[in-house]
Amino acid sequence: MRWMPGASPFSPADVARKDFYKTTAELRLMVAPGLATLASLDAVRAVIRPGLTTLELNEVADAAIRAHGGVSNFQMVPGYRHTVCASVNDEVVHGIPGDRVIQPGDIVSIDSGADVGGWSGDSAMTIVVPDPARPELVAARQRLSDVTEGSMWRGIAQLAVARHLNEIGAAIEDYVESQGDFGILTDYIGHGIGRSMHEEPPVFNYRVRARGPEVKPGLVVAIEPMVTAGGIDTVIADDGWTVATVDGSMAAHWEHSVAVHRGGIWVLTAADGGASMLLPLGITPMPIP
Ligand code: MG
Ligand code: MG
């Protein structure tokens, strides 16, 4: 989600606002859209290969969402007509599916979301397409994706123990900084999610001055670091959507929707609630009661 520069992070009004905390009954309704969103990304992962167009990937994702009784919530965003965003190489986010053909060695970020029963899921993944002729290029791009994914999981793990939301951004920033020379986008951030895909509160992928809203049962957030192998300045293409790096550096994007409930946290867009990635970080996700 785009963050408007100059807007005050976590204004007192945001922090005081309680309406983004959901009831346990509402959290239960967010399980199905999470799983439909997951299915759409799994479907793309299963088919992606050189020669397919990004529009063909979009159709695969759309069919998976419909098979799970959902509809694309990206199509509910004013002016956007597709089910996923497909962002290739120096494109970071919001790439519009079209006739671009996937090439060996491409680093492709797919962002998808499903609405089931009036509730939303939102998740993204980055895939590096194999290229046996360029192992070093593939390894560098995979490393970028792995650092980005790792930072997302550290942000999610922090959510399980945090008092305030700014701790999530701090965990993401600290991890990325520890891994080498990477850039975290600051103009695009995560967000609350519920009946709409984009809700309060903003979820930064870096430290901000204010500690942010309280982390407590009922908070549901989409945590989505966007990381580049170079600078963090971006430009929006003539299509009005595609966000690309100014310096042409490669970019990765990972995202999960995560619920905080009275028993712990649960990653709504992962089949195991995030267990396989969180257990090594000392966190045991718990199903929504
Ligand atoms: Mg997303
Ligand atoms: Mg999002």
Side-chain angles (χ1 to χ4, degrees), residues 14 48 72-73 84 89 142 186 193 211 233:
D14 281 339
I48 189 169
S72 164
N73 55 17
V84 302
N89 295 344
Q142 188 61 52
T186 53
I193 181 167
R211 64 185 184 173
D233 292 335

Side-chain angles (χ1 to χ4, degrees), residues 35-163:
L35 294 176
T37 302
L38 166 66
S40 68
L41 293 181
D42 281 349
V44 171
R45 186 186 287 110
V47 302
I48 189 169
R49 63 181 183 275
L52 288 183
T53 66
T54 52
L55 187 60
E56 287 172 306
L57 300 179
N58 182 84
E59 301 314 311
V60 165
D62 196 70
I65 288 173
R66 290 181 183 283
H68 278 73
V71 294
S72 164
N73 55 17
F74 283 29
Q75 294 182 21
M76 299 173 182
V77 175
Y80 199 78
R81 291 201 290 270
H82 293 88
T83 296
V84 302
C85 294
S87 307
V88 182
N89 295 344
D90 62 325
E91 298 170 356
V92 192
V93 287
H94 301 171
I96 303 176
D99 56 10
R100 181 168 186 159
V101 178
I102 300 295
Q103 305 293 326
D106 278 351
I107 178 169
V108 184
S109 296
I110 303 291
D111 192 349
S112 183
D115 179 299
V116 178
W119 293 85
S120 270
D122 188 8
S123 185
M125 65 177 181
T126 294
I127 291 174
V128 180
V129 180
D131 183 356
R134 295 186 294 172
E136 289 176 11
L137 174 143
V138 168
R141 293 179 178 186
Q142 188 61 52
R143 165 98 178 123
L144 168 63
S145 176
D146 290 348
V147 168
T148 309
E149 184 184 12
S151 75
M152 172 191 68
W153 284 111
R154 277 153 183 86
I156 293 170
Q158 190 64 37
L159 188 71
V161 296
R163 298 280 309 277

Side-chain angles (χ1 to χ4, degrees), residues 1 74 110-113 121-124 191 197-198 222 224 253 255:
M1 185 180 83
F74 283 29
I110 303 291
D111 192 349
S112 183
D122 188 8
S123 185
H191 48 88
M197 182 167 57
H198 294 146
E224 50 173 321
H253 177 212
E255 176 178 28

